[in-house]
Amino acid sequence: MESPHLIFLKNAVNSQPASSEALRDALHRLDHMLTDLANDLRVTYAGPYVGLSHAPQQHQLCVAEQQWSLQERGWGAAICTNHPVHGWRAEWRLATVSRERLPLVVNALPALFAGYAAAADASPAAKRPSTRRIHEIAELFAH
């Protein structure tokens, strides 16, 4: 049986109405799940862009080792800015984006998981159970 927050997010991607609070709660739970999976896989992936209309490629969903603050560093998904010299810089966790960016992040989830599954397949972690779990989530969002 699949996690209720994943089913909720899949339904939101398929245009089922949902409140911002409910979406943020589901994204918060997804963030915890992705943190565990990404920490096990340690596969970097630059996912879909989630920039606002005035700068659509300014922000990107990324799975990498994030530097959240001077004291906090760890693997997980984040909305990052891309700097040509400094690379990705984590700006927000999935659930903490603005009201305007929230639907962009939710609608980018199918592409995030499809791409992350492909990146995991091409890595030394391809045979790990975490890669299989990423594929299960990608399959859920694909249908």
Side-chain angles (χ1 to χ4, degrees):
M1 184 164 171
E2 192 53 77
S3 300
H5 65 278
L6 290 176
I7 294 169
F8 176 81
L9 288 168
K10 176 194 184 267
N11 291 338
V13 168
N14 293 326
S15 300
Q16 184 175 15
S19 70
S20 292
E21 294 80 21
L23 287 172
R24 289 182 194 285
D25 179 62
L27 286 171
H28 179 72
R29 293 169 191 275
L30 176 63
D31 184 47
H32 282 290
M33 178 186 287
L34 272 174
T35 296
D36 290 342
L37 293 169
N39 191 50
D40 180 53
L41 295 174
R42 298 182 182 257
V43 173
T44 301
Y45 172 65
Y49 290 103
V50 290
L52 299 177
S53 60
H54 64 281
Q57 294 186 344
Q58 184 175 7
H59 291 98
Q60 191 171 16
L61 273 172
C62 300
V63 179
E65 187 175 15
Q66 310 291 353
Q67 182 74 45
W68 294 108
S69 68
L70 289 175
Q71 297 81 24
E72 185 182 2
R73 182 177 189 87
W75 281 88
I79 291 79
C80 298
T81 56
N82 189 358
H83 188 276
V85 175
H86 303 292
W88 297 316
R89 184 182 76 222
E91 294 282 333
W92 304 283
R93 295 184 189 271
L94 299 178
T96 62
V97 296
S98 67
R99 173 176 39 88
E100 295 83 13
R101 195 178 312 269
L102 186 61
L104 298 174
V105 170
V106 171
N107 289 328
L109 292 176
L112 173 70
F113 283 107
Y116 191 42
D121 284 344
S123 77
K127 302 290 186 206
R128 299 190 91 139
S130 295
T131 299
R132 185 172 48 252
R133 181 64 178 136
I134 293 293
H135 275 282
E136 291 169 357
I137 297 169
E139 182 70 22
L140 172 72
F141 278 101
H143 294 94

